[in-house]
C-alpha cells in the first residue's frame, strides 16, 4: 500500500508555533513518526508539505494512479479551499483528513471544513498521533 501524506501551510513550523495548541514536537519529529509507523504497517509513505495552495493541489493531482490513499492536513485551507476539495474529488483516492488540534474546540471559523466532504473521514484533536490513527484507518479502508 502506498500513501501520500500532504501537509499544508505552517505545519513546517511545528515545535515553533503555538506550542500550547500544537505541542513542542517538530515537523521533523512528525515526519519521523509517520515514516516509522508506516514501516511497521508495511505501508510505503511519501510525506510532502507546502504553504502554497497550488502546490498542494499539484501533489493531489500527482497522486492519481500512483497512490492507494492520501492523508491530508490542509491547515487553514481546510476552512475555505474549494480548490483542494475539487482536487480530492477529482482523483478519487481514499482520503483521510487529519488535524493536530481539535478544530471544533477552537475559533468558530475553524470548526467548518470545506475539504472534509471529499474525505472518507476526519481525525482531529489527537496531536501527532492523529497521523498514526490515519495510517490505521487506511489499512481498514483497504481491507473493505
Amino acid at each position: 500500500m502506498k500513501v501520500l501524506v500532504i501537509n499544508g501551510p505552517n505545519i513546517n513550523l511545528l515545535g515553533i508555533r503555538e506550542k500550547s495548541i500544537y505541542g513542542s514536537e517538530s515537523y521533523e519529529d512528525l515526519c519521523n513518526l509517520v515514516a516509522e509507523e508506516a514501516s511497521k504497517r508495511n505501508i510505503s509513505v511519501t510525506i510532502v508539505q507546502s504553504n502554497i495552495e497550488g502546490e498542494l493541489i499539484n501533489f493531489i493531482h500527482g497522486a492519481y494512479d500512483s497512490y492507494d490513499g492520501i492523508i491530508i492536513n490542509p491547515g487553514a485551507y481546510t476552512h475555505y479551499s474549494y480548490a483542494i476539495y475539487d482536487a480530492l474529488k477529482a482523483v478519487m483516492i481514499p482520503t483521510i483528513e487529519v488535524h493536530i488540534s481539535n478544530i471544533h474546540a477552537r475559533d468558530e471559523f475553524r470548526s467548518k471544513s470545506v475539504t472534509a466532504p471529499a474525505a472518507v473521514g476526519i481525525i482531529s484533536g489527537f496531536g501527532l498521533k492523529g497521523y498514526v490513527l490515519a495510517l490505521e484507518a487506511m489499512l481498514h479502508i483497504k481491507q473493505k
Side-chain angles (χ1 to χ4, degrees):
M1 170 178 251
K2 289 179 63 178
V3 174
L4 177 62
V5 178
I6 303 172
N7 289 297
N10 301 311
I11 305 301
N12 59 308
L13 295 180
L14 287 176
I16 298 169
R17 67 183 287 224
E18 300 175 282
K19 292 180 184 181
S20 63
I21 296 171
Y22 299 103
S24 59
E25 294 174 293
S26 70
Y27 183 67
E28 183 178 348
D29 294 334
L30 170 62
C31 293
N32 289 337
L33 173 68
V34 171
E36 289 171 17
E37 294 296 328
S39 179
K40 289 178 188 176
R41 290 161 177 78
N42 201 27
I43 298 173
S44 172
V45 69
T46 302
I47 306 166
V48 295
Q49 188 276 332
S50 179
N51 296 312
I52 301 167
E53 184 179 28
E55 287 184 3
L56 298 175
I57 292 165
N58 286 340
F59 293 147
I60 294 165
H61 290 180
Y64 183 74
D65 272 348
S66 297
Y67 289 89
D68 302 305
I70 295 172
I71 296 171
I72 187 168
N73 182 340
Y77 291 129
T78 300
H79 316 296
Y80 64 88
S81 181
Y82 293 100
I84 290 174
Y85 164 85
D86 286 343
L88 291 169
K89 293 292 280 187
V91 298
M92 300 177 294
I93 298 169
T95 299
I96 299 170
E97 185 171 300
V98 173
H99 298 283
I100 295 166
S101 69
N102 180 350
I103 63 173
H104 301 288
R106 296 186 58 201
D107 310 295
E108 185 178 336
F109 78 89
R110 293 186 195 277
S111 66
K112 173 72 173 156
S113 171
V114 301
T115 53
V120 174
I122 303 171
I123 298 168
S124 175
F126 293 99
L128 303 189
K129 298 293 187 221
Y131 288 83
V132 179
L133 295 171
L135 290 169
E136 283 292 324
M138 275 295 165
L139 290 173
H140 175 74
I141 291 167
K142 189 68 174 174
Q143 291 174 357
K144 286 186 170 183

